[in-house]
Amino acid sequence: MHLYQNQTLKIYNSLTGEKELFKPIHQGNVGMYVCGPTVYSNVHLGNCRTFISFDLVFRYLKHLGYKVRYVRNITDVGHIEDDADEGEDKIAKKARIEKLEPMEIVQQYAVDFHQIMELFNAFPPSIEPTATGHIIEQIQTIQNIIDNGFGYESEGSVYFDVVKFNKDYNYGKLSGRNIEDMIANTRELSGQTEKRNPQDFALWKKAEPQHIMRWPSPWGDGFPGWHLECTAMSTKYLGDNFDIHGGGMDLKFPHHECEIAQNEASTGKSPVNYWMHANMLTLNGKKMSKSTGNNILPREIFSGNNTILSKAFSPSVARFFIMQAHYRSILDFSNDAILAAEKGFNRLMEALDNLKTIKPSATSSLDIAAWKQSCYDAMNDDFNSPILIAQLFEAVRYINLIKEDKETITASDFEVLSKTLNAFVFDVLGLKKETENNSNNDKMEGLVTMLIGMRNEARANKNFALSDQIRDKLNDLGIAIKDTKEGTTFSIL
């Protein structure tokens, strides 16, 4: 018997605004699609929060015994700046600035993304399709939309007719927007001659002569619209109707709204039963932004090479920090917050070590079966990781009391406690013990600090040959040192 047969999972559905009982389309099987990264830059911590949140969903569904097909795409074409229809493709722009082929940019940042997700101990998806690998499917979807009367060609581009679609369906049902209000607010912008209405969005864009990323189509050389790729890839691998579609809150409109419209216009079916959206991560109370410098990359957290944090933090501590908030809540990242998360993480790991020293008794002073179910109740309530963590700390408190001979536990209850605690900490939350690594890191940090001290002494004595030799030897070992007004810092490359 699978665990899901005894557990009642509820998921908050963004489409209805309510928590709903989860019933997969095919018993024992779950189809889940999550919008992946646009690979034109290093993945930032806010994006990572979304992918870690859905890794938690993936892990818990697997823990319950579901067979999950998890599809997460890579956007490698078609994502125009500012999520618009006019302008430059984000990847093509980066390639132009760096004087590289667009696919070199894609490869560089896709590799970085996979490395970061591996450091965060996130499972890879079952399938990871790319937009450029599914041009044929996207052209077919566009043709279906045109054939059904909801798409039109204009000057070599193809647009989705939002007003016509809204007569038969409901455009705006996910984001709660009203088409009449949208039209009223954009009347002044109606000088866009190619479109029938300003709300219409691109399914296929004509490639200008200078545009590198282009493919032949029935409407001429061009490239697909950003929203289209997820429609084509999700339905190819999960069918016209599947269980869960996830992504960041910022994708609800226009991206996910347009996905629903494209699916309904193409197949006549509503594509997804449960829409899930992860909330954003702020930094020191403000929105993360590369342009303002209020931004931090995962590698900067792991190396300590940043101006925001007092020291380096391990990927597991950063993951634990993210899990301490519900995925639908705004989470603020700061030095104090991650320091507190590290203390909690260490307490949890220490308790797991203490399990090995516990001697069972003839009686138990805690109802272990009720505690175990409280862990499942937390996750069954829309994957409520902070409540789960609170329950895990109840077990930590109990373990510490047993160790002090203030509470007792039987051998059978001890087995349930140990098994449940390990399952939720490692299998569901996806945390990793890092005590050995941390001890080695501390030793290495001490060694590098000592060498920096020797280098500073050499510089003070004007022995620049020795100073440069220490710097170069450290650099050869993958350790970069940086001299600032405040002193010398180092980072691991």
Side-chain angles (χ1 to χ4, degrees):
M1 183 184 269
H2 294 291
L3 282 171
Y4 64 76
Q5 290 168 291
N6 295 327
Q7 300 296 334
T8 307
L9 172 62
K10 287 190 171 179
I11 295 178
Y12 181 86
N13 190 348
S14 300
L15 196 59
T16 60
E18 291 178 5
K19 285 181 194 172
E20 297 176 4
L21 182 67
F22 178 63
K23 278 191 177 174
I25 296 160
H26 304 289
Q27 193 182 356
N29 293 272
V30 178
M32 179 167 82
Y33 186 89
V34 172
C35 291
T38 300
V39 282
Y40 72 101
S41 65
N42 296 110
V43 63
H44 67 71
L45 194 63
N47 293 134
C48 291
R49 185 198 181 185
T50 296
F51 302 128
I52 289 167
S53 297
F54 286 102
D55 182 59
L56 175 73
V57 172
F58 184 33
R59 283 171 173 273
Y60 187 59
L61 291 170
K62 281 165 72 82
H63 174 75
L64 290 179
Y66 285 111
K67 187 179 178 185
V68 187
R69 180 178 289 171
Y70 173 22
V71 183
R72 188 186 66 210
N73 72 302
I74 293 277
T75 294
D76 55 358
V77 69
H79 195 166
I80 305 297
E81 289 184 286
D82 300 323
D83 303 345
D85 283 340
E86 302 301 323
E88 199 169 4
D89 181 296
K90 289 184 175 187
I91 289 157
K93 182 183 180 182
K94 184 80 170 186
R96 179 172 56 76
I97 292 166
E98 301 282 341
K99 295 184 171 56
L100 294 169
E101 272 286 330
M103 284 301 129
E104 284 183 273
I105 296 294
V106 166
Q107 179 72 2
Q108 180 184 334
Y109 293 113
V111 166
D112 174 72
F113 170 66
H114 290 136
Q115 286 173 347
I116 294 295
M117 294 321 292
E118 194 175 338
L119 287 168
F120 274 124
N121 200 30
F123 286 151
S126 320
I127 303 171
E128 192 171 49
T130 63
T132 55
H134 294 76
I135 300 292
I136 292 167
E137 289 84 352
Q138 292 181 75
I139 288 171
Q140 185 57 61
T141 303
I142 295 169
Q143 195 58 61
N144 292 345
I145 292 169
I146 291 171
D147 292 347
N148 292 337
F150 299 113
Y152 60 92
E153 186 184 351
S154 176
E155 298 180 30
S157 293
V158 181
Y159 293 97
F160 189 94
D161 193 330
V162 169
V163 173
K164 192 171 181 191
F165 171 81
N166 195 57
K167 287 174 185 169
D168 296 341
Y169 296 93
N170 177 8
Y171 182 79
K173 63 183 171 185
L174 179 67
S175 56
R177 295 176 188 229
N178 180 290
I179 187 74
E180 284 78 19
D181 293 344
M182 285 192 264
I183 289 169
N185 291 335
T186 52
R187 282 235 165 89
E188 311 83 61
L189 306 173
S190 56
Q192 301 165 358
T193 50
E194 281 188 22
K195 297 182 184 182
R196 290 177 186 169
N197 306 285
Q199 283 67 39
D200 295 352
F201 56 88
L203 298 170
W204 186 264
K205 282 295 289 179
K206 179 185 177 181
E208 298 304 324
Q210 72 276 14
H211 202 95
I212 305 171
M213 302 176 85
R214 59 201 298 141
W215 290 264
S217 81
W219 316 285
D221 277 12
F223 56 94
W226 172 41
H227 313 306
L228 187 73
E229 64 184 75
C230 289
T231 291
M233 290 186 281
S234 62
T235 53
K236 179 180 172 77
Y237 297 110
L238 299 172
D240 292 344
N241 178 229
F242 56 94
D243 299 300
I244 298 170
H245 192 314
M249 198 76 84
D250 56 323
L251 297 181
K252 194 185 278 192
F253 187 89
H255 188 55
H256 291 159
E257 196 73 74
C258 294
E259 269 192 67
I260 293 173
Q262 289 165 160
N263 274 283
E264 291 179 338
S266 173
T267 67
K269 294 177 187 172
S270 188
V272 179
N273 289 357
Y274 303 88
W275 281 91
M276 294 178 70
H277 290 94
N279 215 323
M280 65 185 211
L281 187 72
T282 56
L283 178 58
N284 291 325
K286 294 178 190 163
K287 188 180 175 183
M288 276 203 193
S289 165
K290 286 176 193 167
S291 56
T292 61
N294 195 51
N295 185 46
I296 192 162
L297 297 173
R299 285 190 204 278
E300 294 172 339
I301 297 168
F302 310 153
S303 69
N305 187 20
N306 62 75
T307 56
I308 293 159
L309 304 177
S310 56
K311 65 189 206 60
F313 294 90
S314 73
S316 254
V317 166
R319 184 181 172 107
F320 183 67
F321 163 76
I322 285 167
M323 295 292 174
Q324 284 184 310
H326 189 262
Y327 76 91
R328 285 192 289 115
S329 305
I330 290 174
L331 173 60
D332 188 53
F333 183 82
S334 67
N335 187 60
D336 288 350
I338 196 163
L339 275 169
E342 187 178 52
K343 279 183 188 166
F345 175 82
N346 291 338
R347 268 183 66 213
L348 194 55
M349 293 302 147
E350 195 182 317
L352 284 159
D353 286 337
N354 287 341
L355 272 176
K356 296 164 195 163
T357 66
I358 284 176
K359 293 181 179 72
S361 306
T363 59
S364 286
S365 49
L366 183 77
D367 185 343
I368 294 294
W371 169 80
K372 177 183 175 180
Q373 189 52 48
S374 71
C375 293
Y376 281 98
D377 289 346
M379 287 303 287
N380 290 340
D381 182 18
D382 193 33
F383 309 97
N384 201 323
S385 56
I387 300 295
L388 168 65
I389 289 168
Q391 294 305 326
L392 297 180
F393 277 112
E394 274 300 302
V396 169
R397 190 179 65 83
Y398 187 49
I399 289 164
N400 291 338
L401 289 170
I402 295 168
K403 201 180 166 213
E404 294 164 15
D405 296 324
K406 291 176 182 171
E407 299 282 3
T408 57
I409 190 165
T410 63
S412 60
D413 276 356
F414 173 74
E415 195 179 329
V416 173
L417 174 72
S418 180
K419 200 174 169 184
T420 307
L421 195 57
N422 276 281
F424 278 101
V425 170
F426 301 120
D427 299 346
V428 176
L429 290 178
L431 303 175
K432 276 169 87 174
K433 272 190 180 176
E434 293 180 332
T435 45
E436 203 174 298
N437 290 346
N438 287 346
S439 150
N440 290 340
N441 286 346
D442 289 345
K443 286 175 189 168
M444 191 187 77
E445 201 170 309
L447 197 58
V448 174
T449 304
M450 183 183 79
L451 287 166
I452 287 171
M454 288 168 67
R455 179 175 172 265
N456 289 342
E457 199 176 321
R459 288 170 78 196
N461 295 330
K462 296 192 167 40
N463 187 350
F464 299 116
L466 178 59
S467 157
D468 290 349
Q469 191 182 4
I470 293 170
R471 182 198 62 209
D472 294 344
K473 288 286 183 192
L474 284 170
N475 199 57
D476 291 345
L477 292 167
I479 298 159
I481 61 175
K482 187 178 174 184
D483 298 314
T484 65
K485 285 178 192 171
E486 288 75 35
T488 304
T489 61
F490 75 91
S491 59
I492 298 161
L493 299 170

